[in-house]
Amino acid sequence: MIHSLFLINSSGDIFLEKHWKSVVSRSVCDYFFEAQERATEAENVPPVIPTPHHYLLSVYRHKIFFVAVIQTEVPPLFVIEFLHRVVDTFQDYFGVCSEPVIKDNVVVVYEVLEEMLDNGFPLATESNILKELIKPPTILRTVVNTITGSTNVGDQLPTGQLSVVPWRRTGVKYTNNEAYFDVIEEIDAIIDKSGSTITAEIQGVIDACVKLTGMPDLTLSFMNPRLLDDVSFHPCVRFKRWESERILSFIPPDGNFRLLSYHVSAQNLVAIPVYVKHNISFRDSSSHGRFEITVGPKQTMGKTIEGVTVTSQMPKGVLNMSLTPSQGTHTFDPVTKMLSWDVGKINPQKLPSLKGTMSLQAGASKPDENPTINLQFKIQQLAISGLKVNRLDMYGEKYKPFKGIKYMTKAGKFQVRT
Amino acid sequence: MSSNSFSYNEQSGGGEATELGQEATSTISPSGAFGLFSSDLKKNEDLKQMLESNKDSAKLDAMKRIVGMIAKGKNASELFPAVVKNVASKNIEIKKLVYVYLVRYAEEQQDLALLSISTFQRALKDPNQLIRASALRVLSSIRVPIIVPIMMLAIKEASADLSPYVRKNAAHAIQKLYSLDPEQKEMLIEVIEKLLKDKSTLVAGSVVMAFEEVCPDRIDLIHKNYRKLCNLLVDVEEWGQVVIIHMLTRYARTQFVSPWKEGDELEDNGKNFYESDDDQKEKTDKRKKPYTMDPDHRLLIRNTKPLLQSRNAAVVMAVAQLYWHISPKSEAGIISKSLVRLLRSNREVQYIVLQNIATMSIQRKGMFEPYLKSFYVRSTDPTMIKTLKLEILTNLANEANISILLREFQTYVKSQDKQFAAATIQTIGRCATNILEVTDTCLNGLVCLLSNRDEIVVAESVVVIKKLLQMQPAQHGEIIKHMAKLLDSITVPVARASILWLIGENCERVPKIAPDVLRKMAKSFTSEDDLVKLQILNLGAKLYLTNSKQTKLLTQYILNLGKYDQNYDIRDRTRFIRQLIVPNEKSGALSKYAKKIFLAQKPAPLLESPFKDRDHFQLGTLSHTLNIKATGYLELSNWPEVAPDPSVRNVEVIELAKEWTPAGKAKQENSAKKLYSESEEEEDSSDSSSDSESESGSESVEQGESGEEGDSNEDSSEDSSSEQDSESERESGLENKRTAKRNSKAKGKSDSEDGEKENEKSKTSRSSNDESSSIEDSSSDSESESEPESESESRRVTKEKEKKTKQDRTPLTKDVSLLDLDDFNPVSTPVALPTPALSPSLMADLEGLNLSTSSSVISVSTPAFVPTKTHVLLHRMSGKGLAAHYFFPRQPCIFGDKMVSIQITLNNTTDRKIENIHIGEKKLPIGMKMHVFNPIDSLEPEGSITVSMGIDFCDSTQTASFQLCTKDDCFSVNIQPPVGELLLPVAMSEKDFKKEQGVLTGMNETSAVIIAAPQNFTPSVIFQKVVNVANVGAVPSGQDNVHRFAAKTVHSGSLMLVTVELKEGSTAQLIINTEKTVIGSVLLRELKPVLSQG
């Protein structure tokens, strides 16, 4: 399976290598660099690159390429999914996953990687298990370790590894028992020039932060489970129960985890909470263009739209823009031609707008396409699909946990074509 | 895989070459002793010193720095001797880092690496499973050929290890050894065969991986395990699932007949692009043929379905390809939703999934049509994703949606990403050829694009229009004229070449324009691209043949230019054309046919998807992604015409080992056999009907609601499948000394009981006689080991009948009502109670292992007998109607391994509800600990409930006092354990027993002489009496007159050895050897009267 792993930063340095079988020379990465050069942009580097003796499978996250070297047939998603899991684990361990952090914690990184794969086959990928095997570095622990000489490495096999509940460690204890669930929905939409919806769908997730003592068994039920068109679960969720009763029943992992992600299909009518009025025009003769956009609330169910940001990739011909926003701040990067406008809250009485002119490259023909506007926003206390959690019950433990549920709607890939 | 890696390394000259490469790329290379960079040398010196210091902290720092060097790819091999010394370090972190180092450099320093081997061999025997496992991991990762035999031995041993984690590592080690020495294949296959039989979900994925690497062709090894793998699949860890699903897909294609209706294939591959629901119906109609799916085939399809909901994209993809390749076509539709969901994932995942969808959408477009809009392109997608989405949109296009699609394409054409715009134009071309209704619309649209400002767009349009016109050239003279004008402005060679070719082909339709074009081209010939030059030559030739009057001179001029061109292709072409068209004396017969050759009717190109040819690769594989056969790719075979014998998958009942109880009890053996075969079947059925986890989960919730031990039951029932598995396996392999370490048996059993109980509940219409026996049944599992009490059983039955009137008959409380009886009848009636499964396998596992540090032979076994003598905790008179009884289920306690588990049955004899029953203040002697049961919300009148708790008695018979409280009252109660309950039975051999006994002599030995009638000295009576008093395990004895029993104390784990030696006459010697002399003598005091009694 996975032979070796190379971590490559954006400037093309290999700053970490790990081999699970015999050593593969790092010169194999030259093929990768070649492909990288051809692709010009990092995200266009093909995830699978064949070389004469190996295959390079890579993922690109946090400005780092994680390049896995394999030698024989293996489902590519297997490797890709695993690499993403590695990144997630690093993030979990160190808070952020960046080159300096990895370099600072190289020993822990190495120990973790050693546990995650054996002979290239995943061994322990559950963060709860890994954290028992290799404890994440904290300042306190570093201090304690230097004084007492104890180590970050556990000497017992984590109990989870053998049980059918591998995601939960045993002997969890909290003084405050709490379980929080965030229902977060993202609207993916493409709105066309005239403001009508071309496609819109809702992708939701329920992220949980569960800090409960012992082995609690939770059930979560919804007011309207039929809304969920397609779901994927954390392994802890009992599928049969969902099939038959549409109830989520599970023994949760300890800490933060994604309980489920769901999809509300495009067939359902999706309420679009914002609209964008735009007037962007390039005049053929002059070297100026007009630019005007206004953002306003549409179907918000009475909630405020917050955290609105508008970004747009302007055509190459645009040299500069002189714009005045009615609220918020805006920037235009003349090199990348990226316009971004941080709007903030939308006040329905006084709609935010951004107006001004664009100066175009003299002599160049006018761009034939208007830029696409990408929108970001947040609406607190609202799940746009109408999904509602009915109740959360706990069995198996006797204390009364504190329960909290939060709803939020966000823009996913929300694009307005102009 | 690894075999290749090996040979590859061989090619490159083994480790050395690799190392050279290493050094070449790393800038700092303190190579060998002659390091030129003295500073580096010095640095390493200082590391060496640190490693040789006797402070762990210094060593650890050094190791950390060395690992840092390895991570950066710097060479640290010269430190090998210094590092390897620390392999036996006590500090676990140092040890781990040394392992990391060893694995990295052992191949280069083989001789030195050998020094570490003995350490690993020792660690392989370590009682800690983590240490055993990591020793095996490192040992097998050291790629030194000399130790192959040692590795082989270690793998064999580890594959029989009790810990599934170690066995998992053994499965990994198989692959490593195979890549190191393929000669070992045969032996390794044996180990694989053995591990395939393993029922632990932990092992399954890894061993299948080993199977795929070592012997993927030995499909015969799978037969017997096929059903098991299908059933375990849901519980296997996600990575294992992927591997198993891929393997089972291949398996299914060799073992089952095709579920696809004949003609399906043709229809799909053929020109029928408009497959829709109607076709589906038609197919179902056709399906009248007598095809019945093999139940095993169905099992696989059914059991993989829930995995479509996995969070792991690789699992979803694996299931999708399984459905694609082996399910009936009508059922494959369910995968599309899940695949579309994956498109929300990361860029890389999207890329692979889209590729697979592209292949699928060619063959069965109906599957993805409803999700058309999910493939709409966003301006923020990376280009590779955009083009793949476009590909899929093209495949999905039909008359119904083409107008929407074309509108969408219009937006794409204007995209700032020109590469993508060009791809869109090609797409439009393909749609135009595929859907005849829109050909004209597309063509018009493309012609409009010809006036686009962007050259790439125009060029691409030209190329596509050329292809379209080729299909129906007659009507499009205008377009050709328009394009001829474009030659003045367009500079992209491909486009220019296309226009020239088009004019050449249609030169007779545009007689005025063609010669003019040639004239212009002749002027610019020298500055044109090679591609264009070739087409100019062609155009010249064609015009020469059709219109030689106007173009003869021009053509000759061009041919002359071509003759001296720099490019040999052009020179060749020139020479060829000249010979062919210009008549001279040397020209042969061919020139007569020149016109036919040049102006032949050319077939229109077929615009096809680049994914058309990928479908012969299994979906989801690397080969499919690359469209090249990757190393190690295993072909998916075609369906067999006739299915091979399906009976090969039948699993016969596993043979049982017979010596798990003392010899000379044939009756017991019988019942044991029956019992196991029962549970075996049951396991099968329960597995297939309900995939253990979710099922048992919901069940336990119910229990939780009714106030029982929600959590503990939960655990054990969830463990159940694997538990049971390991059990029967253990049964079969008991000859092996190390095996008998666990007492999982009883637990597994009580699980199956749970199921049985449920069955019981449903059977309400039974005669009373039947009923009581069915109750008997439900408890028979745990009882079977205490067979000799059959007379008392019958007694119980009669009693039961007597009490029947008082019995609460609601089926739900049936098993509890047994205890009700005892309530009225506090005399000890040895009723075997169903003991809820209480302990997660792990605890017992660890316990067994940890305890075995002192001697590997001590392992906790299951209680030979569970007496049902209940003790009054609270009499109903003093408890204001609340009665409580307790008894010792003789199970290892789940609340702590030093605790004795106790079951308390609470009865409400009042006529009102008793609420909030819980344990109040505890008055425990020092050191004693207690795990209380969860409060009971309410107890109905006449109701009863059983709860379990654990008390750590610290190996003393001191009383544990506590308060049992209800909402209104508190009652002080106490539990004083009989000494026999402070023990856990231990399985050991006679030899070990004697050895241990030899150690525990002198003051550790107490003895007494017993006098009793000879009929009381039959083996079965002695056995029964002893186990009735104390929870001890029998030791197989070679002598008829000596009976041995072994146990250990619960708290401290000290051995307790009981020997009953029959002497002449009616006397016997009772000897107890133990470190805990106090308990020993108490036990002696208790045993003596029991054995003497008649």
Side-chain angles (χ1 to χ4, degrees), chain B residues 196-210:
Chain B
L196 274 172
K197 293 197 182 105
D198 201 303
K199 291 188 179 172
S200 163
T201 51
L202 203 59
V203 185
S206 301
V207 68
V208 171
M209 189 65 225

Side-chain angles (χ1 to χ4, degrees), chain B residues 549-567:
Chain B
K549 199 169 70 191
Q550 273 186 306
T551 57
K552 188 173 178 183
L553 287 173
L554 264 176
T555 309
Q556 272 172 350
Y557 171 69
I558 290 167
L559 288 175
N560 281 337
L561 286 177
K563 193 174 172 184
Y564 299 107
D565 199 89
Q566 283 187 324
N567 187 305

Side-chain angles (χ1 to χ4, degrees), chain A residues 1 26 43 73 114-115, chain B residues 1 72 137 347 623:
Chain A
M1 290 251 151
R26 52 164 67 188
E43 58 172 20
E73 172 63 55
E114 185 76 26
E115 290 303 331
Chain B
M1 170 185 307
K72 287 193 197 97
R137 273 176 70 184
R347 166 187 84 101
S623 306

Side-chain angles (χ1 to χ4, degrees), chain A residues 151-379:
Chain A
T151 65
N152 279 334
V153 180
D155 59 352
Q156 285 294 331
L157 186 68
T159 50
Q161 182 81 66
L162 289 177
S163 75
V164 249
V165 200
W167 52 83
R168 188 168 182 91
R169 13 183 217 116
T170 50
V172 184
K173 272 215 171 71
Y174 288 103
T175 41
N176 295 324
N177 289 295
E178 18 182 51
Y180 297 106
F181 293 86
D182 293 355
V183 180
I184 302 167
E185 296 196 334
E186 294 192 359
I187 307 177
D188 286 358
I190 303 177
I191 311 289
D192 80 352
K193 222 176 219 163
S194 59
S196 55
T197 311
I198 293 177
T199 158
E201 39 187 37
I202 299 172
Q203 308 280 351
V205 295
I206 299 185
D207 282 340
C209 174
V210 177
K211 293 182 172 170
L212 296 176
T213 307
M215 272 283 174
D217 194 328
L218 303 179
T219 59
L220 187 73
S221 62
F222 299 103
M223 304 278 260
N224 36 12
R226 304 277 156 215
L227 272 177
L228 308 183
D229 179 43
D230 183 36
V231 279
S232 75
F233 299 118
H234 189 274
C236 70
V237 177
R238 298 183 180 102
F239 183 72
K240 279 273 155 62
R241 191 91 192 270
W242 170 255
E243 284 277 271
S244 56
E245 301 170 59
R246 298 272 147 178
I247 283 176
L248 293 176
S249 152
F250 55 98
I251 294 177
D254 185 37
N256 295 310
F257 66 102
R258 174 155 298 176
L259 179 63
L260 109 147
S261 44
Y262 59 91
H263 175 264
V264 179
S265 69
Q267 272 79 8
N268 291 18
L269 223 54
V270 176
I272 304 291
V274 283
Y275 71 89
V276 178
K277 255 201 280 186
H278 50 83
N279 181 9
I280 303 170
S281 59
F282 304 98
R283 261 162 295 170
D284 236 341
S285 48
S286 79
S287 59
H288 285 281
R290 278 166 50 79
F291 185 95
E292 189 182 334
I293 48 176
T294 310
V295 190
K298 215 161 132 190
Q299 296 158 285
T300 60
M301 332 261 169
K303 301 282 198 296
T304 341
I305 303 174
E306 303 169 8
V308 181
T309 48
V310 175
T311 50
S312 182
Q313 173 75 52
M314 303 308 284
K316 293 215 168 53
V318 178
L319 282 184
N320 213 338
M321 306 181 84
S322 67
L323 303 168
T324 32
S326 70
Q327 73 178 75
T329 52
H330 79 284
T331 51
F332 175 73
D333 185 341
V335 182
T336 58
K337 314 287 182 203
M338 186 62 88
L339 169 74
S340 77
W341 175 30
D342 189 355
V343 186
K345 254 184 208 163
I346 294 182
N347 177 1
Q349 270 75 50
K350 193 173 160 289
L351 296 180
S353 64
L354 182 68
K355 286 179 200 165
T357 55
M358 301 176 274
S359 54
L360 306 175
Q361 206 163 7
S365 54
K366 79 166 187 132
D368 47 25
E369 194 205 27
N370 279 340
T372 315
I373 297 169
N374 293 304
L375 218 59
Q376 287 296 320
F377 56 83
K378 266 194 294 204
I379 307 172

Side-chain angles (χ1 to χ4, degrees), chain A residues 1 17 22 26 43 60 71-73 85 114-115 118 155 186 188 217 231 233 240 413 417, chain B residues 1 5 9 71-72 96 128 137 176 238 309 344 347-348 378 408 622-623 631 694 714:
Chain A
M1 290 251 151
E17 62 178 66
S22 54
R26 52 164 67 188
E43 58 172 20
Y60 179 66
Q71 276 196 334
T72 52
E73 172 63 55
R85 207 60 73 80
E114 185 76 26
E115 290 303 331
D118 179 21
D155 59 352
E186 294 192 359
D188 286 358
D217 194 328
V231 279
F233 299 118
K240 279 273 155 62
K413 295 172 184 162
R417 291 175 179 167
Chain B
M1 170 185 307
S5 86
N9 275 334
K72 287 193 197 97
K96 279 218 162 168
N128 183 334
R137 273 176 70 184
K176 299 183 207 168
E238 43 197 351
Q309 250 71 35
R344 277 282 294 178
R347 166 187 84 101
E348 296 85 6
R378 288 160 206 279
E408 185 69 17
L622 186 64
S623 306
T631 338
S694 53
E714 177 64 53

Side-chain angles (χ1 to χ4, degrees), chain A residues 1 3 16-17 21-23 26 43-45 47-48 50 53-55 58-60 70-78 80-82 84-85 106-107 110-111 114-115 117-119 121-123 125-126 133 151-157 159 161-162 164-165 167 186 188-190 198-199 201 203 215 217 229-235 238-241 251 267 313-315 365-366 368-369 372 374 395-398 413 415 417, chain B residues 1-2 4-5 8-9 11 18 22 25 64 67 70-73 91-93 96-97 100 104 107 128-130 137 143 164-165 168-169 172 175-176 202 209 238-239 242-243 246 306 309-314 317 337 341 344 346-348 351-352 373-374 376-380 382-384 408 411-412 414-416 452-453 620-623 625-626 630-633 691 693-694 697-698 701 705 711 714 718-719 842 935:
Chain A
M1 290 251 151
H3 224 93
L16 187 117
E17 62 178 66
K21 299 185 181 183
S22 54
V23 179
R26 52 164 67 188
E43 58 172 20
N44 272 331
V45 178
V48 184
H53 297 284
H54 303 89
Y55 304 95
S58 63
V59 303
Y60 179 66
I70 58 168
Q71 276 196 334
T72 52
E73 172 63 55
V74 58
L77 272 185
F78 184 100
I80 286 168
E81 184 78 26
F82 176 80
H84 280 299
R85 207 60 73 80
V106 72
V107 175
Y110 236 67
E111 285 169 342
E114 185 76 26
E115 290 303 331
L117 279 183
D118 179 21
N119 197 36
F121 190 82
L123 192 62
T125 50
E126 283 295 337
L133 281 168
T151 65
N152 279 334
V153 180
D155 59 352
Q156 285 294 331
L157 186 68
T159 50
Q161 182 81 66
L162 289 177
V164 249
V165 200
W167 52 83
E186 294 192 359
D188 286 358
I190 303 177
I198 293 177
T199 158
E201 39 187 37
Q203 308 280 351
M215 272 283 174
D217 194 328
D229 179 43
D230 183 36
V231 279
S232 75
F233 299 118
H234 189 274
R238 298 183 180 102
F239 183 72
K240 279 273 155 62
R241 191 91 192 270
I251 294 177
Q267 272 79 8
Q313 173 75 52
M314 303 308 284
S365 54
K366 79 166 187 132
D368 47 25
E369 194 205 27
T372 315
N374 293 304
Y395 303 97
E397 295 287 335
K398 56 181 180 176
K413 295 172 184 162
Q415 297 198 334
R417 291 175 179 167
Chain B
M1 170 185 307
S2 315
N4 288 311
S5 86
Y8 175 60
N9 275 334
Q11 273 168 25
T18 328
Q22 199 71 35
T25 40
K64 283 185 172 170
V67 168
I70 298 175
K72 287 193 197 97
N91 183 316
I92 188 122
E93 189 163 15
K96 279 218 162 168
L97 296 177
V100 169
R104 171 67 181 76
E107 205 171 353
N128 183 334
Q129 51 183 341
L130 183 63
R137 273 176 70 184
R143 301 178 53 80
Y165 183 71
K168 184 186 179 71
N169 279 288
H172 291 168
Q175 304 162 50
K176 299 183 207 168
L202 203 59
M209 189 65 225
E238 43 197 351
W239 311 107
V242 179
V243 177
H246 273 271
Q309 250 71 35
S310 172
R311 64 167 168 174
N312 188 321
M317 190 66 233
K337 199 188 265 181
R341 186 188 65 229
R344 277 282 294 178
N346 298 294
R347 166 187 84 101
E348 296 85 6
Y351 176 74
I352 307 287
K373 288 189 171 174
S374 304
Y376 278 8
V377 175
R378 288 160 206 279
S379 59
T380 40
T383 309
M384 58 179 178
E408 185 69 17
T411 327
Y412 299 166
K414 284 191 249 158
S415 164
Q416 291 175 31
N452 194 290
R453 231 178 307 242
T621 58
L622 186 64
S623 306
T625 298
L626 296 169
T631 338
Y633 174 75
D691 297 317
E693 205 199 359
S694 53
S698 60
V701 170
E705 271 163 351
D711 53 343
E714 177 64 53
E718 292 223 340
D719 274 354
L842 175 77

